[in-house]
Amino acid sequence: MLEGLVSPESLSLSYADMSVPERLKWLQQLQQQEVLSQSSNDSPELLQILQFHGSNNDELLQSTFSHFQMLGSGFGTNYNMGFGPSHEAMDGCISRTGSCQIDPADTMGVMLKNSEENRAISLKTKRKSEVKTREQEKTEKKIKVEAETESNMKGKSNMSNKEAYSDTLKETSKGASEIQKLDYIHVRARRGQATDRHSLAERARREKISKKMKYLQDLVPGCNQVTGKAGTLDEIINYVQSLQRQVEFLSMKLAVLNPELDLSVEDLSVKQFQAYSSNLPVIVASKPLIMVDVPLFPLDQQGSLDLSVINLNQTTTIEAVRFYHSENFSDYSKFLLLVWEVTCLLYLFASAIYKLGNSVT
Amino acid sequence: SSMNEEFLKKWQMGLQIFSPSIDNTSVSERKRAIKLSADVAMASLRKGTTCWSRALIQKTATEDNFLVRQMLSGIKEEPLINKKLPKVMCHRKIVRRSKKILMRRKSRSAMEEVAAKKLVKKKTQGLRNVVPGGEFMSSNVLLIQETLDYIISLQTQVNVMKSIVDAAEAGIER
């Protein structure tokens, strides 16, 4: 937990309000000391402390840092940690007692932060309003909004996830303060935007979604040209569908090529293994075969078909036919392959024409 | 690349489980075996952490329960099924009429906004239809996360299968 605390601190400095940097540092030092000294506390004690203080101040900072980490190291095992096992609906109406049911490590952190914050807030003179969004490792999404005054602490309000995208306009200038919990997402409210708890939480959700959509845009080829949610979603849907179709096509091909259902590794040459490691599809240079690839019928901006690509595919059909006939294939499997590939081509034609028709209307 | 190798290993294991039980002379049977074992291998790589993997495993389990149990025997127990999202059945004409009444006074820009939101909703519903287990995902954020993971797994699956196919063809060519 200590390393987890160390990493977002650098981010917290950037998020921190410039007018209170010293308070931040003081808090961080406190927090480190607290963690070191209280490493062996057990949760029931801390629960009592929390109730005694009567505050439910969960000031937490979460990164996106964890997301960046995941992306940077590849979507391997790291990514799983971001997900967690359960994806139950988090329409979190979490009461304070409910929040105490989270796992002991988290409660400990929460309690620690609460005690520190009490001390910190007693020193504070400024009025702030903040939004925190929390993401547990088990992906329970809870949205908590905090507003503080000089003299007293307001109670925590818990909200359910909103599906509506509504913006209310109010003129207030925001400050934002920090941290500590690595699981919390820290959102700074901007000037000219509502401080209403609901809309702030909604905005946090929306920003999360748009961030993930950006990752998706990087992943899906050809998604950068389209702007707007609907277009990118459309591209994503098409891409996923084409990948699924590719899987079907490849499994069919493999079924034809491989009469015995074994993928014996000895058959594979060294070249194939190198191809695996580079994570690129292997292209057999001698005989280009038809693959149902995504950019097969690229449509330009106006949606007209790129006819040169079609001609290319026709020539590759002919080549492939020649290839298959020259080998010792059984006639039946050759025939099957031909039929399959012709149907694939026809299907692609049809889908391209459908797209063209759609774009025209 | 390690993911590629893991997927390949699991896929081979699945195919070995399959091969005694199916009729090897039929192409469609073989294709089905290949696809099923590939899908289960891809889903089991995630070890139950993602919604789509569990939904995919459950889908294939309805087609061939024996295979799925065998493939997953070393890994984990039966994954849980999530509660299906309630799909509200609306009588379209009534809904449309009431929406028109509500929108009568609004400005044109508001109507365009609403239309854009409608379009986005349609697209997200389309995405839910494509991604396995999409109907069970309660929030849009979750949906997009799952889509990301699913796309990456699909890409590895396609890459590995492509390499195998090309290797098989290269072998035949020799």
Side-chain angles (χ1 to χ4, degrees):
Chain A
M1 186 172 144
L2 195 54
E3 319 131 39
L5 284 172
V6 169
S7 47
E9 268 165 30
S10 54
L11 262 185
S12 69
L13 285 177
S14 63
Y15 276 122
D17 203 285
M18 272 313 149
S19 58
V20 286
E22 311 112 27
R23 175 165 159 266
L24 252 184
K25 285 179 191 159
W26 178 76
L27 268 179
Q28 284 166 12
Q29 284 166 14
L30 243 196
Q31 154 200 334
Q32 281 170 357
Q33 289 167 13
E34 291 263 2
V35 169
L36 286 173
S37 60
Q38 296 185 14
S39 56
S40 57
N41 271 352
D42 43 354
S43 31
E45 257 184 36
L46 295 171
L47 274 176
Q48 290 172 14
I49 295 177
L50 167 68
Q51 283 154 12
F52 168 73
H53 274 293
S55 82
N56 29 18
N57 216 1
D58 296 327
E59 315 219 69
L60 314 154
L61 167 74
Q62 145 72 318
S63 16
T64 71
F65 188 77
S66 60
H67 285 290
F68 291 146
Q69 227 175 9
M70 288 189 301
L71 262 195
S73 52
F75 278 100
T77 53
N78 278 349
Y79 199 58
N80 291 337
M81 289 178 351
F83 269 146
S86 77
H87 290 270
E88 265 64 59
M90 295 313 121
D91 309 25
C93 287
I94 320 113
S95 62
R96 193 207 316 179
T97 51
S99 74
C100 295
Q101 290 162 9
I102 51 186
D103 56 34
D106 288 343
T107 42
M108 187 162 78
V110 167
M111 303 317 145
L112 285 174
K113 305 314 164 268
N114 281 337
S115 52
E116 291 161 16
E117 267 309 306
N118 287 339
R119 280 178 246 152
I121 283 162
S122 60
L123 298 180
K124 237 178 18 168
T125 53
K126 249 191 176 185
R127 175 190 196 153
K128 305 193 173 183
S129 70
E130 299 140 12
V131 179
K132 286 98 192 160
T133 315
R134 178 159 188 250
E135 230 176 50
Q136 262 184 352
E137 287 196 356
K138 305 197 173 193
T139 68
E140 281 205 335
K141 290 181 188 155
K142 308 176 185 178
I143 301 181
K144 300 174 186 169
V145 177
E146 284 284 75
E148 299 164 24
T149 63
E150 298 175 9
S151 47
N152 52 2
M153 323 274 250
K154 284 189 186 167
K156 206 179 353 177
S157 87
N158 308 307
M159 307 193 340
S160 53
N161 284 336
K162 302 281 179 183
E163 287 296 310
Y165 297 91
S166 60
D167 259 325
T168 60
L169 301 171
K170 283 183 196 167
E171 285 283 332
T172 35
S173 60
K174 301 301 138 220
S177 76
E178 33 9 284
I179 2 78
Q180 283 82 27
K181 194 59 178 294
L182 39 131
D183 291 354
Y184 274 73
I185 291 181
H186 186 245
V187 175
R188 178 191 287 247
R190 286 182 282 245
R191 184 189 169 86
Q193 292 181 327
T195 56
D196 192 25
R197 292 169 182 186
H198 300 267
S199 48
L200 279 175
E202 273 173 34
R203 191 149 16 95
R205 261 191 77 243
R206 248 179 287 148
E207 283 174 11
K208 236 198 269 182
I209 287 186
S210 58
K211 216 184 309 164
K212 305 244 163 91
M213 298 277 285
K214 278 197 202 122
Y215 296 157
L216 270 176
Q217 273 187 330
D218 296 333
L219 204 57
V220 175
C223 215
N224 302 321
Q225 282 90 30
V226 198
T227 52
K229 267 194 195 171
T232 52
L233 278 175
D234 208 19
E235 289 297 322
I236 291 167
I237 292 176
N238 287 338
Y239 185 60
V240 170
Q241 278 176 337
S242 71
L243 281 178
Q244 287 171 342
R245 266 182 263 136
Q246 261 183 303
V247 167
E248 295 253 354
F249 177 73
L250 285 172
S251 61
M252 174 61 146
K253 194 164 230 172
L254 205 52
V256 170
L257 290 178
N258 210 351
E260 336 79 35
L261 271 190
D262 60 345
L263 312 169
S264 45
V265 187
E266 301 91 304
D267 289 354
L268 306 173
S269 60
V270 180
K271 180 176 65 160
Q272 310 300 328
F273 276 123
Q274 285 169 357
Y276 290 168
S277 54
S278 65
N279 205 11
L280 292 170
V282 173
I283 302 173
V284 179
S286 52
K287 306 282 183 187
L289 302 162
I290 295 178
M291 290 294 183
V292 182
D293 275 325
V294 174
L296 204 50
F297 288 109
L299 304 174
D300 59 12
Q301 296 289 340
Q302 287 80 25
S304 57
L305 278 176
D306 188 359
L307 291 176
S308 56
V309 182
I310 299 179
N311 289 333
L312 174 69
N313 284 324
Q314 283 175 344
T315 54
T316 54
T317 321
I318 298 171
E319 276 188 34
V321 167
R322 260 188 263 129
F323 164 61
Y324 289 130
H325 279 284
S326 64
E327 296 305 323
N328 292 341
F329 265 102
S330 73
D331 287 339
Y332 183 56
S333 23
K334 268 189 263 178
F335 172 70
L336 262 185
L337 261 176
L338 267 182
V339 167
W340 182 256
E341 282 168 5
V342 168
T343 48
C344 283
L345 264 185
L346 284 174
Y347 175 70
L348 284 171
F349 256 118
S351 62
I353 290 174
Y354 176 69
K355 253 192 189 176
L356 183 61
N358 259 359
S359 60
V360 165
T361 56
Chain B
S1 64
S2 68
M3 207 155 84
N4 287 353
E5 284 154 16
E6 279 178 38
F7 169 71
L8 184 61
K9 262 185 249 163
K10 291 220 168 122
W11 189 23
Q12 284 178 331
M13 183 174 78
L15 282 182
Q16 281 164 10
I17 293 172
F18 242 129
S19 44
S21 58
I22 67 162
D23 175 22
N24 259 347
T25 55
S26 147
V27 177
S28 55
E29 286 266 340
R30 272 185 275 147
K31 176 220 166 201
R32 184 171 160 269
I34 288 173
K35 178 158 189 294
L36 284 188
S37 49
D39 285 342
V40 177
M42 175 174 85
S44 65
L45 277 182
R46 286 290 173 237
K47 296 199 179 70
T49 50
T50 56
C51 186
W52 66 263
S53 57
R54 287 175 296 194
L56 190 58
I57 288 175
Q58 277 158 359
K59 264 189 217 167
T60 50
T62 57
E63 296 189 31
D64 200 325
N65 211 354
F66 176 66
L67 163 78
V68 173
R69 282 184 190 277
Q70 286 248 313
M71 278 189 78
L72 298 180
S73 59
I75 305 167
K76 61 179 170 15
E77 335 74 49
E78 273 292 314
L80 303 164
I81 192 167
N82 295 336
K83 212 176 12 145
K84 191 163 187 180
L85 274 183
K87 235 181 174 183
V88 182
M89 289 298 171
C90 309
H91 196 263
R92 266 195 236 159
K93 274 191 187 168
I94 295 178
V95 172
R96 222 178 284 167
R97 201 182 300 163
S98 57
K99 276 193 182 166
K100 256 194 225 171
I101 294 172
L102 282 174
M103 294 228 303
R104 225 183 264 159
R105 296 222 195 100
K106 289 197 180 162
S107 63
R108 181 169 292 179
S109 62
M111 279 190 4
E112 287 168 358
E113 261 183 52
V114 170
K117 284 179 195 167
K118 239 192 186 176
L119 190 62
V120 170
K121 257 195 178 169
K122 254 194 186 172
K123 300 293 181 189
T124 51
Q125 184 58 40
L127 189 57
R128 280 173 203 269
N129 293 338
V130 179
V131 174
E135 299 91 19
F136 302 95
M137 292 172 204
S138 43
S139 73
N140 279 343
V141 186
L142 187 64
L143 177 66
I144 292 186
Q145 272 175 347
E146 296 279 329
T147 316
L148 260 178
D149 199 50
Y150 184 55
I151 286 180
I152 288 167
S153 310
L154 270 181
Q155 279 176 342
T156 34
Q157 193 183 18
V158 166
N159 284 341
V160 172
M161 288 178 95
K162 260 192 198 174
S163 324
I164 297 270
V165 165
D166 293 336
E169 280 169 345
I172 288 174
E173 195 180 321
R174 268 187 257 114

